[in-house]
Amino acid sequence: MSIDYGQKIPNNVDLASDKVLQRALEHWQPEYLKWWQEMGPDDSQAMDVYLRTAVSVEPSGWAHFEHVKMPDYRWGIFLTPLEGERRINFGDHKGEPAWQEVPGEHRANLRRLIVTQGDTEPASVEQQRHLGLTAPSLYDLRNLFQVNVEEGRHLWAMVYLLHKYFGRDGREEAETLLERRSGDVDNPRILGAFNEKTPDWLSFFMFTYFTDRDGKYQLCALAESGFDPLARTTRFMLTEEAHHMFVGESGVGRIVQRTAEAMVKHRTESPDQLRALGVIDLPTIQRYLNFHFSVTIDLFGADESSNAATFYSTGLKGRFEEGKRSDDHQLRGQTYKVLAVSNGQLVEREVPMLNALNEVLRDDYIKDSVGGVNRWNKVIEKAGIPFRLVTPHKAFHRNIGALAGAKVSPDGRVISEAEWNANVDHWLPSGSDRAFVASLMGRVVEPGQFANWIAPPMMGINRQPVNFDYVRFN
Ligand code: BYC
């Protein structure tokens, strides 16, 4: 399962033995590189970056670190090994051998899932492309580029599936993945959160904490797929996703720490005074959290979805940790509670569980995402500050599903339009919050130096010191 870097496209799938596929992907490769030049990290071409590259998909091989010239980075196709006789473990096909080819009747749905997943990857690179210009340290700049190159590789992972298993339609979809653009009014990315801006580093850390975690949950659900090549591809992607969420959690944690230090040192809770000291006040961090949490939970789709029921019943997309659940893995006749607004109140409704599987995954996600918020609160608590960060109610600021457009406060009260308008600037980042955060951004390039608004990390990457030259400018 080692990766052949002697090939034009590094891979562990014996691409050389399938000349037609190899040619098709080698045709897509220059288009991809053109897209990366145009939409990838701004002004990064002359940099050498201390990056992790997989040399094999075994645990010993996927964390190989060295300085890489950005234009020389090699994207490839890596699948986890075939697992002997894998069987489908949910839905109508439960117990049947997993598919090595696409079943004709599920082709359109499978393609749609792969395209939706694939579309998010270049979208996030596009959203983050200017952040390198304002990195708060070399350590953070390296982490940004690590995330970016791996999202690029995740696009390769989906494009490989499209080319190998979906013929001409697959090749066309692969082309359009390079044509849509995050935030473009005429040709936007498919899912809402991937058309939002990531204009500053607080947004970046919130995005990698919350939105990359949606990636984790969706990839885990796809890793259960009865279509074995999709399951094996997404499993390897998950090994990379963990670092992205670490970047987010530790990034927000370090911002919170710096703010808490300033609050203690200057004995103040006043946002204005803290802003004058050049750190981000906790209420602003809370508003960014509210924004990224609510935009991200929309990514799970409508609370009641016949698509979700079909994806599950036909064995295309499972639940998070399907194998660890002790029910019948078919879910017929079972129900699940979803929320709706009725007579000015949030009410729970029981609906068929199969149709509520987007909500099931969203609820699993919410439970997980609270963990990091509690760890941020530990930093605040340790400093003796009474403030606590909280995730907003799941009905707050929703744009997808039954709660779309409902006016609900962060603590879960259905409110009037007037109350919403009077408070929205306390609940979501306002223009002046964003302008303030933007005013702090500026590139720090001395090894071991950090911008004033963020604390240094406890440890460096791959046991290197914090003041290591993670990025060399040529
Ligand atoms: N924005 O029946 P519904 C990641 C559309 S992140 C805009 O609920 P379904 C990453 C929907 O397409 C993980 N539109 O949809 C993270 C449908 O449209 P049509 C990405 C939306 O299919 C960070 C209609 O609304 N992977 O990897 O049940 C950095 C009805 O909706 C949205 C996946 O998402 C939205 N938020 O559920 C880099 C996994 N939500 O058909 C990467 C693959 C729904 O009426 N995707 N719509 O035109 C899926 O499993 C499903 O497509 C979804 C949607 C769960 C996303």
Side-chain angles (χ1 to χ4, degrees), residues 341-368:
V341 176
S342 171
N343 294 328
Q345 300 259 309
L346 282 173
V347 290
E348 282 190 328
R349 291 186 311 119
E350 295 257 354
V351 300
M353 190 183 278
L354 279 170
N355 287 64
L357 286 173
N358 286 342
E359 194 68 8
V360 171
L361 195 60
R362 181 168 19 246
D363 287 342
D364 287 338
Y365 166 90
I366 290 174
K367 269 185 236 139
D368 190 40

Side-chain angles (χ1 to χ4, degrees), residues 112-113 117 120-121 151 192 211 214-215 298 302 305 307 317 358:
R112 178 187 157 125
L113 283 172
Q117 177 63 51
T120 63
E121 315 291 0
E151 300 302 7
T211 310
D214 169 48
D298 269 343
S305 163
N307 287 336
K317 180 180 175 189
N358 286 342

